[in-house]
Amino acid sequence: MLPRTVGISKQDIREHIWDCMESQNLADFPRPVHHRIPNFKGASHAAEQLLRLPAFRTARTIKVNPDAPQKNARFFVLENKKTLLVPTPRLRTGLFNKITPPPGATKDILRKCATSQGVRNYSVPIGLDSRVLVDLVVVGSVAVSEKGWRIGKGEGYADLEYAMMVSMGAVSKETPVVTIVHDCQVVDIPEELLEEHDITVDYILTPTRVIATGCERPKPMGITWSKISWEMMEKIPILRRLHAREQQAGKDVTLQGEHRHPPEPGWQQTLPPSAGRRPQDTPGPEANSMEAACGSPRGEGAPLAADVYVGNLPRDARVSDLKRALRELGSMPLQLTWEGRRHRAFLRYQNSAAAQQAVSCLQGLCLGTDTLRVALARQQRDK
C-alpha cells in the first residue's frame, strides 16, 4: 500500500511502484522496471480477463499499446478476428499500425504478429485521414486507482495518443478504456494530481480481479496544445499536421511557452529567431514567382523576409501540387518561386521565425513517392 504523504507527486507514486516490483521480484524482462510500463509476472493471465468484458466481445476495432505486458491482449484481439491497431513507437512515423496477419495464420503466427517484431513485419500504417473508429482502448499504466485515475511512466504518450484519436474522430467519450496491471499497481491516487490531459480508465484487469471503476471524470476532449512543446512538435510529424488542421479550423493552438499574437502567414507560433536568406543565385528562365492570397510583393520593401528552400522536387511535379500541400499543412508563404528544371522552389515568409516554423511543419513532406528536402535557404547555401 502506498504510504499517505502530504504533497505526494506522480513521480513519488511511480518510484514507489517501481521499487516495490523490483524488491519483490514481481517483474519479468526487461529489468529494471524503472522508467518503463512494467512487464509484470502474470501479465498473460491478467490479459485473459479481457475475454470476460462485454466491451471486448462487442468491439470490432481495438487499440492496444505496444508494451510487453499487453502482448497477450494483442494476441486475443487477433485470435478473435478483430482489427488490431498498435501505436507507432513514440509516434515518430504516424499514429497507428494496423496488424494484418497473413491468410490462414495459425495461433503461432498470430502470437508472432502480437510481438513488437510482428508489428513491424505484419502491419500497414493508418493515416490521419483514415476514417477509423476505435471501439476499445487498452493502455499500459505504472499505477492506477480503483476510481480510474491513471499514472503512466511520465512521457505522456498514452495521453497524447488518446487526445489525437479524439481529434481525428476515432474515439468518443463513450469509448471504454482498459488497463492491464499487477495487483500491486492498484493504489490510492489523490485526485488533485490529475490534469486536464490525463486519460482515465473504465476497467482495470489484474491477475486476480476485474475492476469496473465507474469513473465519471471526463476524458480529454482533444489535444491540450498548451501542454505541447516545440520539441514534441519536432519529433512527431503527425502532431504538426493535426496542429495545422486545428489552426485552420480556428481553434486555439498556442503551444507551451507561447503567447498569442495576431495571425501571420503560415503557423501562428513564434520560434526563437534564426537567420534565413535566399541564396543569391539567378533563377532559370522557367522560374515562376507567385504570390499567395495573403502575400505581399517580394523585394526591398520586406527587409525582414526569410526564405525556405524546398528541394528534391519530382520531375513531373507541378507548382499546383506544392501549393496544395502547403495549403493542407497551413504553411502558405508570402511568395513561392518555382524552379522546376532545377527540382527546387523557394518559399518566402514574413520573417525568420515564420520561415523556421515552416521548416518544422514541412519536414517529411512528400510529393508522390519522393520526400522533399526542406531547410532554411541560408543553411542550404552553407551546405
Side-chain angles (χ1 to χ4, degrees):
M1 180 63 69
L2 185 70
R4 294 184 179 274
T5 307
V6 176
I8 194 170
S9 68
K10 287 183 180 179
Q11 189 60 27
D12 293 331
I13 296 174
R14 292 185 189 103
E15 295 293 343
H16 170 83
I17 297 296
W18 288 328
D19 291 345
C20 175
M21 299 190 81
E22 282 296 327
S23 64
Q24 298 185 34
N25 194 30
L26 298 177
D28 287 327
F29 177 85
R31 301 278 294 271
V33 297
H34 292 77
H35 311 295
R36 304 179 188 275
I37 299 296
N39 186 22
F40 60 93
K41 294 181 178 179
S44 295
H45 182 57
E48 292 174 3
Q49 309 274 28
L50 193 62
L51 302 175
R52 298 171 52 188
L53 293 182
F56 175 82
R57 291 197 293 268
T58 59
R60 292 180 295 179
T61 300
I62 301 177
K63 172 261 177 186
V64 185
N65 77 308
D67 295 310
Q70 273 69 54
K71 181 175 69 174
N72 238 30
R74 296 191 293 274
F75 166 71
F76 289 137
V77 173
L78 296 174
E79 186 184 38
N80 284 270
K81 302 186 185 305
K82 301 177 186 293
T83 299
L84 173 62
L85 302 180
V86 180
T88 60
R90 297 181 179 271
L91 303 175
R92 288 195 181 106
T93 58
L95 181 53
F96 293 131
N97 284 320
K98 176 183 175 181
I99 312 307
T100 54
T106 63
K107 278 192 175 184
D108 286 341
I109 293 178
L110 292 180
R111 290 189 183 280
K112 290 179 181 178
C113 291
T115 65
S116 57
Q117 183 65 41
V119 170
R120 290 191 289 270
N121 294 342
Y122 298 97
S123 68
V124 294
I126 298 295
L128 186 60
D129 297 321
S130 300
R131 297 184 179 276
V132 61
L133 293 177
V134 178
D135 303 306
L136 185 67
V137 175
V138 181
V139 298
S141 302
V142 172
V144 65
S145 79
E146 293 188 12
K147 293 182 178 180
W149 315 153
R150 172 192 172 275
I151 295 177
K153 60 185 177 183
E155 295 183 341
Y157 283 102
D159 300 317
L160 183 56
E161 289 162 8
Y162 182 87
M164 293 169 75
M165 287 191 289
V166 173
S167 295
M168 64 186 290
V171 297
S172 68
K173 60 183 179 180
E174 286 82 22
T175 307
V177 178
V178 177
T179 192
I180 302 175
V181 296
H182 191 276
D183 288 277
C184 77
Q185 294 174 261
V186 184
V187 297
D188 292 331
I189 299 174
E191 185 174 2
E192 57 266 24
L193 293 182
L194 270 66
E195 300 178 73
E196 179 186 359
H197 64 277
D198 287 332
I199 187 175
T200 55
V201 301
D202 302 291
Y203 297 96
I204 303 169
L205 311 184
T206 79
T208 65
R209 293 192 290 169
V210 174
I211 303 170
T213 67
C215 183
E216 296 182 355
R217 182 184 177 94
K219 293 181 173 64
M221 297 303 294
I223 298 172
T224 305
W225 292 106
S226 60
K227 295 288 185 181
I228 303 297
S229 66
W230 268 107
E231 287 75 16
M232 293 185 71
M233 294 284 282
E234 290 285 346
K235 294 175 182 176
I236 305 175
I238 193 172
L239 194 57
R240 299 197 294 270
R241 291 186 61 197
L242 274 171
H243 185 275
R245 176 181 292 187
E246 295 202 358
Q247 183 187 35
Q248 288 180 327
K251 297 183 180 180
D252 181 3
V253 293
T254 306
L255 298 183
Q256 187 181 84
E258 288 183 338
H259 300 286
R260 302 196 66 181
H261 55 81
E264 65 180 33
W267 287 7
Q268 294 184 7
Q269 292 84 29
T270 301
L271 281 175
S274 113
R277 185 168 264 204
R278 166 88 186 267
Q280 299 302 312
D281 52 57
T282 302
E286 77 284 8
N288 180 20
S289 296
M290 291 155 291
E291 297 185 13
C294 58
S296 61
R298 175 181 184 143
E300 296 180 0
L304 297 180
D307 289 357
V308 170
Y309 164 87
V310 179
N312 199 38
L313 291 169
R315 291 181 178 275
D316 59 350
R318 298 183 177 182
V319 65
S320 58
D321 299 327
L322 180 58
K323 291 179 71 175
R324 186 182 307 112
L326 295 172
R327 191 177 299 111
E328 290 176 354
L329 291 172
S331 191
M332 286 297 288
L334 294 173
Q335 183 177 350
L336 188 157
T337 300
W338 179 262
E339 299 185 4
R341 291 185 183 176
R342 304 176 76 172
H343 309 297
R344 69 183 186 183
F346 291 94
L347 314 178
R348 169 147 293 198
Y349 291 89
Q350 183 172 343
N351 51 41
S352 59
Q356 179 64 68
Q357 292 163 12
V359 171
S360 299
C361 179
L362 301 178
Q363 291 300 322
L365 175 63
C366 295
L367 287 185
T369 59
D370 297 338
T371 301
L372 306 186
R373 291 194 296 269
V374 182
L376 290 174
R378 184 173 182 176
Q379 292 177 352
Q380 179 64 24
R381 181 184 61 186
D382 292 343
K383 289 182 182 179

